[in-house]
Amino acid sequence: MVKSYDVVVAGAGPAGAAAAAVLAGRGLSVALVDRAEHPRPKLCGGLLTAKSVEALARVFGLSPADLAERGGLFHQTPRYLFLHQGRELLAGAAAEPFRFVDRPDFDALLAGVAVARGAEYLPGRAVEACDAASGLVRLRGGGELAGRFVIGADGANSVTRRALGPGGPGGFDRAAWGRNLAAAIEVELPVGGGPGQFPREVLAPELHVGAPNVPAAGYGWVFPGPRGPKVGICGLRRAERDGRGFAAIFLDFLRLLGVAEPEGVALHGHPLPYGNALARPASGRLILAGDAGGFVEPLFGEGIFYALATGAHAASAALCGLKDGEAAAAVEYGRLLARTVRPELVWSNRLRWLLFGAMRHFGAGPIRGFVKSAPAALAEMVHGRRSFGLLTRKTWEWGEGVGT
Ligand SMILES: Cc1cc2nc3c(=O)[nH]c(=O)nc-3n(C[C@H](O)[C@H](O)[C@H](O)COP(=O)(O)OP(=O)(O)OC[C@H]3O[C@@H](n4cnc5c(N)ncnc54)[C@H](O)[C@@H]3O)c2cc1C
């Protein structure tokens, strides 16, 4: 039997939860399907910028205090560090704090809000296939769901995205997607002097660039973590140095940071869309949001905000489409993306190639100049108060159905 809904949301991460929360809040029938059950593991640094905090308030009605009480917010600090080749370039302060969440609890909280508003949560059900024209979603192990719209929010390895191509209605280009996909590795280490331990406490986020063992088009990070510092690298695979794999590069990075005998550390990896936001993320009844649509900022790899924003925009587009048809939904989604996230992704991509290119040819000089000339503006750019486009003031716009 096929069960029908106004909207089927595939994936209950931040993008899917945002979409489901907006739509269920408007009284629509919504299925929120996920192959896992919350709280589920999720590899992520968990850094929230100020624009993510704004999105959480608008979409879910959650403040930082709510997150601290219910959703795994465990640390905040206005300090940050930029390091080149392991040496400090800049210790900066931002007007607004960087906040850190533990993703399993955070994601569970967001999905819980969608369910409290009336979404039907279907955990442990993997989407196997989706048809963009009919809105039919087939589940692994049997069963089908029908949506007047389907929001594909099933992450970087999205199954719903396959409905766009190759050669399909959205013209999804698998080769281009692969070229811009970053590899990311991240581990959480206990503090201590022993093998596989991190040698110091970490209270402020650190970004590491330019070390020979950090990928050319990518960077390393050390973030405060809920159980110990989180250390990670991400970079485009085509930027791998000397044909060395990411695991070897990452072990070198751990050595640079003073971790003894890092070979014994269990490594975890996950792909990160890193400059591959889809040009046409909506087709027929299908709208892709979050990592599934490639909506990650391609300089710092920030994805939580873009998942929240595109999830909410996809919901607004579906609301429009339920009134005026599929074509109207695609137009509205395109309009919201063009007014909000798309310019940021385009400009941060340009800045990425400018900075990494300059670093390759001239070493730390250009990046030192960039970072030191305007540390507060840099933080404002990351927080979303200024645009990546020439540092102009930025305000974020939200579509129909998204609260204030
Ligand atoms: C190592 C690493 C560190 C990162 N650090 C940060 C950071 O500090 N700050 C930041 O802003 N961003 C960070 N990001 C990016 C961020 O994690 C992602 O951009 C964000 O999680 C995207 O949210 P999403 O909802 O689109 O996808 P996801 O969070 O991946 O959620 C997708 C959901 O879909 C489900 N799913 C998958 N396949 C199926 C299927 N077939 N059927 C049903 N359900 C399915 C999954 O179980 C999951 O719950 C990091 C990414 C990586 C890899």
Side-chain angles (χ1 to χ4, degrees), residues 10-16 33-36 38 40 42-48 103 107 125-128 140 153-157 159 184-186 221 223 270-272 289-292 295-296 301-305 307:
V33 190
D34 201 293
R35 67 175 176 195
H38 286 303
R40 49 104 179 85
K42 170 70 191 134
L43 199 67
C44 182
L47 187 154
L48 292 187
R103 281 295 298 273
D107 288 18
R125 304 304 311 270
V127 171
E128 192 171 68
R140 192 177 304 148
D154 47 347
N157 295 321
V159 167
I185 299 178
E186 188 183 71
W221 65 88
F223 286 174
H270 196 270
L272 180 74
D291 279 13
F295 296 112
V296 174
E302 180 184 8
I304 297 172
F305 169 74

Side-chain angles (χ1 to χ4, degrees), residues 332-400:
E332 178 61 2
Y333 195 39
R335 187 188 74 81
L336 286 167
L337 293 176
R339 290 188 66 86
T340 58
V341 305
R342 191 81 79 187
E344 296 309 298
L345 302 180
V346 168
W347 278 100
S348 56
N349 197 31
R350 286 181 186 146
L351 195 55
R352 185 246 303 255
W353 288 116
L354 193 73
L355 286 178
F356 289 137
M359 230 160 37
R360 227 179 0 261
H361 294 295
F362 308 111
I367 193 161
R368 185 181 290 122
F370 173 70
V371 170
K372 288 209 161 168
S373 60
L378 174 70
E380 283 187 303
M381 194 171 75
V382 173
H383 273 311
R385 301 308 186 202
R386 287 180 187 275
S387 170
F388 281 95
L390 308 176
L391 290 174
T392 49
R393 286 269 161 212
K394 177 89 185 167
T395 50
W396 295 92
E397 195 178 308
W398 300 90
E400 188 186 346

